């Protein structure tokens, strides 16, 4: 038995000597120890770091984002927030998150997750926003013309909107019989059907939102104007004295206040929703 043990020890020593000689001659590469292997397996290597919840474990939803009449297919995690979705959308549309307004059954709030908004496969999201280059182009309009247009508004800004001469003539005719019911001190979502007010001649003005086309349709008896919502610069409003359940609403279609399209006897409960739908949280002008 002692002889056999001795033979094993001698053979082992000889193998170690051969290994040392081959390693020094460059014939073989040292193998990592078991500790090194287990350590590398735990970290997964330097080029990949698994997130706390791997992609394969995340529940996703497939939907379409509609922007400027184009449709983009998007797959995104249900438990991600809208703010993260906006960052992703920037990579496919070049619209920065701060200038995005996402619509899905109303305005999508940044701190909500897609799951909380009941996002489902096949859903359609409307993106309303302007690319940075478009904003720069509008902002570079002739400053002298802008200042001249603003001067014409200075005299009327000192008195309430409903008391200004151009509006008072319309309001003095009284509340139209076919006006929509108005409610003060209340905020409601826009109804599925078009909402309406009246123009300066007393004609009915219907506002229809065509979200898939990114358009606001302003319709009268004579015509319907299809306005790209991205081109609308501002929406202002003011309550009508003694009829606070109604507002005067001005939709600014150009770079100056002179381009405002005025709508009278607009129900007060829909004013905030109207502004959110057209402008979202950001207003550039």
């Amino acid at each position: 038995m002692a002889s056999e043990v001795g033979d094993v020890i001698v053979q082992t020593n000889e193998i170690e000597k051969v290994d040392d000689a081959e390693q020094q001659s460059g014939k073989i590469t040292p193998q990592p120890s078991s500790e090194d292997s287990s350590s590398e397996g735990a970290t997964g290597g330097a080029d990949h770091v698994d997130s706390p919840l791997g992609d394969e474990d995340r529940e996703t939803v497939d939907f379409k984002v509609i922007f400027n009449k184009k449709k983009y297919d998007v797959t995104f995690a249900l438990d991600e927030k809208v703010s993260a979705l906006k960052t992703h959308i920037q990579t496919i549309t070049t619209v920065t998150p701060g200038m995005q307004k996402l619509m899905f059954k109303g305005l999508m709030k940044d701190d909500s997750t897609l799951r909380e908004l009941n996002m489902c496969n096949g859903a359609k999201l409307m993106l309303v926003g302007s690319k940075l280059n478009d904003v720069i182009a509008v902002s570079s309009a002739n400053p002298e013309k802008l200042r001249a247009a603003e001067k014409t508004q200075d005299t009327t800004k000192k008195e309430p909107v409903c008391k200004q001469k151009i509006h008072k003539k319309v309001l003095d005719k009284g509340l139209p019989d076919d006006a929509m019911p108005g409610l003060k001190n209340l905020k409601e979502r826009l109804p599925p059907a078009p909402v309406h007010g009246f123009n300066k001649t007393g004609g009915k003005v219907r506002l229809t939102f065509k979200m898939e086309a990114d358009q606001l349709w302003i319709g009268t008896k004579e015509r319907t104007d299809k306005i790209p919502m991205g081109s609308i610069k501002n929406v202002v409003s003011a309550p009508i004295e003694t009829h606070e359940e109604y507002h005067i609403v001005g939709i600014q279609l150009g770079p100056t206040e002179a381009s405002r399209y005025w709508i009278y006897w607009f129900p007060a409960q829909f004013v905030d929703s109207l502004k959110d739908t057209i402008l979202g949280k950001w207003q550039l002008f």
Side-chain angles (χ1 to χ4, degrees), residues 15-29:
I15 291 173
E16 290 177 351
K17 290 179 181 179
V18 171
D19 289 344
D20 291 341
E22 290 180 347
Q23 181 174 329
Q24 292 175 2
S25 63
K27 291 183 179 180
I28 63 173
T29 303

Side-chain angles (χ1 to χ4, degrees), residues 66-132:
I66 302 172
F67 176 61
N68 283 349
K69 299 182 180 181
K70 294 183 180 179
K71 296 181 180 180
Y72 301 88
D73 293 319
V74 176
T75 299
F76 211 70
L78 270 172
D79 293 312
E80 286 283 5
K81 292 187 176 181
V82 173
S83 56
L85 175 60
K86 287 184 175 181
T87 301
H88 175 70
I89 288 177
Q90 180 184 5
T91 64
I92 58 178
T93 64
T94 71
V95 180
T96 59
M99 299 173 67
Q100 292 181 30
K101 178 184 60 165
L102 291 175
M103 306 295 297
F104 176 69
K105 299 179 181 179
L107 183 66
M108 299 173 68
K109 305 295 184 181
D110 285 352
D111 56 354
S112 298
T113 65
L114 302 191
R115 189 185 300 276
E116 292 170 345
L117 295 172
N118 297 318
M119 186 69 64
C120 58
N121 286 321
K124 294 181 180 179
L125 275 63
M126 175 60 59
L127 169 61
V128 180
S130 298
K131 297 181 180 180
L132 185 58

